[in-house]
Amino acid sequence: MNEHSASLAGRPVIAPALFVFALLYGGMTCIAGVLGNKQVALGPFAVESGMFAFLILVILGGAVTELYGRRVANRLVLWGFVPLVAAILLSIFVSALPPSPDMEPERLTAIQTVLSGTFRIWLAGPIAYGVSQLLNVTIISFVRERMGGPVWVRAGIAGAISQAVDTVIFITVAFLGVFPILPLLVGQLLAKVTLSLLVVPWLVSASVAIGTRLDRPGPRQTPA
């Protein structure tokens, strides 16, 4: 795949850090929709909790771009559609199944709320995910190739822009015409961009350091 990947018996061997990051990345694409059912207060703003999972996706995508390059990072984003779409389809399937008569009514109501969603929300999530995550990878690659500089600078720029785009796409596709979206849009934009500027740069830098350490060759094993 690149300098971080090797080959064994003619087959590609995934780098340890890329393997770990990919596992975490797939998990975040699945849990984001579940977390989004709760709104939390960040100062004066009410934001949906799914943003925290998406911030982790931005961090992982940035770290993979720095370690393995744009092509590998784009492939990670595209493969991320598999667990994302699978989670959506499984949620729809389970939501449609008849509940057990022994299930507590309040628990049934709660889980049906979590599993259910309108067609526009199901559509908005994958669109916002794909555009914003590919944009994140593209910006990091562009800034690194054209201007260089420290990892945390380009990670902050890419994170803020990609999260702003993610917010605009998701809220517009999901809720335009349903209710006035401007207050929600402004609050989400301010919260996501602020967090992207304050948190993402340092966590991408830390992830790159961790990934570099995980990929570092260990001592040779000698036969007993």
Side-chain angles (χ1 to χ4, degrees):
M1 194 175 293
N2 52 38
E3 66 272 15
H4 289 268
S5 298
S7 177
L8 181 63
R11 294 179 297 179
V13 177
I14 188 170
L18 182 57
F19 179 74
V20 173
F21 289 165
L23 287 177
L24 185 56
Y25 193 95
M28 290 302 102
T29 63
C30 295
I31 198 64
V34 177
L35 297 178
N37 286 277
K38 180 176 181 177
Q39 285 193 336
V40 296
L42 293 179
F45 306 114
V47 298
E48 51 88 15
S49 300
M51 67 173 287
F52 298 113
F54 273 93
L55 283 173
I56 294 176
L57 291 176
V58 169
I59 293 162
L60 293 171
V64 169
T65 305
E66 294 287 349
L67 288 168
Y68 308 102
R70 180 176 180 177
R71 185 175 68 88
V72 175
N74 281 338
R75 289 177 65 185
L76 177 68
V77 173
L78 294 177
W79 277 108
F81 278 104
V82 175
L84 174 60
V85 173
I88 291 174
L89 294 177
L90 189 58
S91 296
I92 294 172
F93 172 72
V94 172
S95 177
L97 291 176
S100 166
D102 298 328
M103 192 170 184
E104 300 170 357
E106 61 274 15
R107 178 171 294 185
L108 174 61
T109 301
I111 192 61
Q112 287 297 107
T113 300
V114 171
L115 294 176
S116 62
T118 66
F119 172 77
R120 287 180 60 174
I121 291 177
W122 291 131
L123 181 65
I127 293 175
Y129 158 79
V131 173
S132 64
Q133 298 303 316
L134 289 173
L135 181 62
N136 178 55
V137 172
T138 300
I139 293 173
I140 288 179
S141 299
F142 178 84
V143 174
R144 183 178 60 185
E145 292 169 3
R146 297 297 179 90
M147 292 176 278
V151 171
W152 63 269
V153 172
R154 49 183 176 264
I157 295 171
I161 295 175
S162 64
Q163 284 302 283
V165 170
D166 173 271
T167 301
V168 172
I169 292 175
F170 182 83
I171 292 178
T172 302
V173 174
F175 303 120
L176 183 64
V178 178
F179 57 80
I181 65 172
L182 187 58
L184 177 62
L185 193 59
V186 171
Q188 294 273 0
L189 276 172
L190 289 174
K192 285 189 175 183
V193 170
T194 300
L195 280 175
S196 295
L197 291 173
L198 294 178
V199 176
V200 168
W202 315 114
L203 291 182
V204 170
S205 298
S207 298
V208 170
I210 292 171
T212 302
R213 184 174 182 83
L214 287 175
D215 287 348
R216 187 178 301 159
R220 290 181 175 273
Q221 297 293 325
T222 56

